């Protein structure tokens, strides 16, 4: 927009629609409010006063239809996996998934003898950001959200996805 | 009343249906009871004024080694007289069945469903015997020692290939 810069009064900004939409999207990461295990405690702690997730415009939504981000916080059992998949399918596009903690990443401590645990939530839904830790500290979750913000800002939203 | 005294009283009442009194090698002194007589014993222990075992603290299935009989363990407590007793019944691995005490102790309802779910023990007379933790279409009884997990469940791989 270089040629148009400083052509207008000071309170007029010139940008591309993509950038504007991505800027607003990335600063309103509404996440789906649900937790599956101890990671959910860290998720709640991150949302609470000390770490204050709403600084980033991220606030919990109780319906998948209003949520942009699904934070899979905890152990995904095979019984819950079918529900997680359905809830993901109920979210509106564009949608993102953060896999929080070792259990959601790979099965974690249930890797060997967990007959009832899904070995990584990426087996059933596409994951954008993986956060390691057991459970991850709130700082790690915030970093994960910031990585997702970066991803949102870099992808074109107005063009149709290829697949 | 001590566990020893309870065992002696039960032996007088039920004869050879009271199989054994285990004191060593267990955390709680345990009376081993014949599976067919368990419901009667539990009713007697609850109703008799000297025992008043009105609380079933826990009911658990157990598989010792994957070969011998399965067992069910009952932890009873009397809130009136403050004494404890543990009952144990053995039942065959191929056709495990024990009489339900769900009508006697409300606690037993879900505990028996759990033992059915994870060990495949049939509790005869249970009002609603179905799986409680695993999905209804799950195959096998996961806490049995000889349990081998299936490769897939609804298209999801259970054991990750290394």
């Amino acid at each position: 927009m270089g040629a148009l810069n400083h052509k207008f009064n000071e309170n007029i900004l010139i940008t591309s629609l993509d950038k504007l939409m991505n800027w607003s999207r990335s600063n309103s990461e509404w996440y789906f409010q649900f937790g599956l295990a101890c990671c959910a405690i860290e998720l709640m702690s991150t949302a609470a006063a000390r770490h204050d997730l709403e600084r980033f415009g991220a606030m919990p939504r109780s319906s998948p239809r209003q949520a942009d981000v699904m934070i899979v916080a905890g152990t995904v059992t095979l019984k819950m996996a079918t529900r997680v998949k359905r809830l993901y399918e109920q979210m509106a596009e564009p949608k993102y998934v953060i896999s929080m903690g070792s259990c959601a990443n790979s099965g974690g401590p249930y890797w060997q003898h967990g007959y009832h645990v899904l070995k990584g939530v990426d087996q059933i839904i596409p994951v954008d950001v993986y956060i390691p830790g057991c459970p991850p500290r709130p700082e790690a979750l915030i970093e994960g959200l910031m990585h997702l913000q970066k991803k949102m800002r870099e992808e074109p939203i107005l063009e149709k996805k290829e697949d | 009343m001590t566990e020893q005294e309870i065992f002696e009283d039960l032996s007088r009442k039920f004869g050879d249906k009271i199989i054994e009194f285990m004191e060593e090698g267990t955390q709680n002194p345990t009376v081993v009871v014949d599976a067919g007589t368990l419901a009667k014993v539990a009713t007697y222990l609850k109703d008799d004024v000297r025992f008043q075992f009105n609380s079933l603290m826990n009911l658990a299935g157990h598989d010792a080694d994957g070969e011998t009989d399965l067992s069910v363990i009952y932890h009873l407590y009397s809130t009136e007289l403050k004494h404890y007793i543990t009952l144990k019944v053995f039942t065959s691995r191929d056709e495990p069945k024990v009489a339900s005490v769900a009508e006697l102790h409300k606690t037993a309802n879900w505990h028996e469903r759990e033992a059915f779910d994870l060990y495949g023990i049939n509790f005869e007379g249970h009002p609603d015997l179905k799986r409680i933790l695993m999905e209804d279409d799950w195959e096998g009884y996961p806490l049995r020692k000889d349990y081998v997990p299936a490769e897939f469940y609804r298209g999801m791989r259970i054991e990750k290939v290394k």
Side-chain angles (χ1 to χ4, degrees):
Chain A
M1 309 300 149
L4 290 171
N5 273 354
H6 310 298
K7 289 268 179 193
F8 305 100
N9 290 335
E10 280 177 354
N11 56 352
I12 294 181
L13 298 170
I14 309 252
T15 180
S16 72
L17 194 54
D18 250 347
K19 264 192 174 169
L20 178 70
M21 289 175 75
N22 283 343
W23 171 77
S24 63
R25 258 162 18 96
S26 66
N27 287 302
S28 63
E29 289 174 319
W30 291 5
Y31 58 92
F32 187 23
Q33 182 181 29
F34 84 116
L36 302 176
C38 28
C39 278
I41 303 295
E42 295 297 308
L43 173 60
M44 286 180 268
S45 162
T46 315
R50 181 174 288 263
H51 297 283
D52 193 17
L53 211 50
E54 280 194 47
R55 295 181 283 163
F56 304 95
M59 65 171 179
R61 303 306 295 174
S62 301
S63 161
R65 307 195 193 281
Q66 296 173 351
D68 306 305
V69 185
M70 175 185 257
I71 300 175
V72 184
T75 314
V76 187
T77 60
L78 291 167
K79 194 176 183 179
M80 192 64 194
T82 54
R83 278 78 166 172
V84 168
K85 193 174 181 205
R86 174 174 293 187
L87 289 167
Y88 174 76
E89 285 162 356
Q90 286 178 346
M91 286 166 66
E93 291 274 3
K95 52 193 173 185
Y96 301 87
V97 175
I98 293 177
S99 168
M100 180 182 180
S102 294
C103 288
N105 291 343
S106 69
Y110 307 97
W111 172 267
Q112 196 159 19
H113 299 296
Y115 61 88
H116 61 304
V117 173
L118 186 70
K119 308 297 185 296
V121 75
D122 52 3
Q123 286 193 52
I124 51 164
I125 53 176
V127 174
D128 295 287
V129 177
Y130 296 87
I131 304 171
C134 187
R137 281 194 54 85
E139 292 89 327
L141 177 58
I142 290 170
E143 189 179 354
L145 271 163
M146 289 171 80
H147 275 291
L148 189 60
Q149 283 186 321
K150 204 174 157 195
K151 183 174 181 172
M152 283 178 172
R153 286 189 192 119
E154 283 169 0
E155 70 181 8
I157 184 69
L158 294 171
E159 285 170 30
K160 209 171 179 184
K161 275 188 184 170
E162 275 176 22
D163 50 36
Chain B
M1 203 180 252
T2 65
E3 287 90 347
Q4 181 74 38
E5 288 165 341
I6 294 167
F7 166 70
E8 282 162 11
D9 187 276
L10 287 176
S11 289
R12 276 195 295 279
K13 170 99 179 155
F14 294 98
D16 59 357
K17 300 292 183 192
I18 306 298
I19 297 163
E20 196 186 343
F21 183 60
M22 289 159 44
E23 212 165 7
E24 285 176 19
T26 63
Q27 197 174 356
N28 310 99
T30 303
V31 178
V32 181
V33 182
D34 176 66
T37 321
L38 178 93
K40 281 183 201 156
V41 174
T43 312
Y44 175 66
L45 287 174
K46 188 180 181 184
D47 292 344
D48 195 288
V49 72
R50 292 169 300 142
F51 302 126
Q52 300 183 49
F53 281 109
N54 54 0
S55 168
L56 178 66
M57 295 193 301
N58 189 31
L59 184 159
H62 181 227
D63 183 3
D65 51 13
E67 289 169 13
T68 54
D69 285 353
L70 300 172
S71 55
V72 184
I73 298 151
Y74 303 77
H75 290 264
L76 292 163
Y77 175 61
S78 170
T79 55
E80 300 293 331
L81 304 173
K82 320 284 184 206
H83 57 190
Y84 300 86
I85 191 69
T86 307
L87 304 178
K88 187 172 186 177
V89 299
F90 286 95
T91 178
S92 82
R93 174 172 296 272
D94 300 326
E95 210 179 320
K97 56 179 181 185
V98 182
S100 170
V101 292
E103 297 294 325
L104 198 64
H105 297 285
K106 297 293 177 202
T107 322
N109 190 316
W110 282 18
H111 284 89
E112 284 179 354
R113 279 177 63 188
E114 188 190 18
F116 167 72
D117 190 355
L118 302 176
Y119 293 95
I121 297 164
N122 281 298
F123 290 90
E124 291 177 317
H126 189 285
D128 185 27
L129 194 64
K130 61 183 184 191
R131 287 187 182 272
I132 190 169
L133 296 169
M134 311 304 292
E135 289 267 48
D136 289 338
D137 60 352
W138 190 268
E139 281 173 21
Y141 304 107
L143 287 195
R144 285 197 186 185
K145 290 276 167 72
D146 54 358
Y147 175 75
V148 181
E151 195 176 355
F152 288 95
Y153 172 71
R154 292 197 193 177
M156 294 176 280
R157 183 177 281 281
I158 296 177
E159 292 286 337
K160 190 87 175 185
V161 182
K162 279 169 191 161

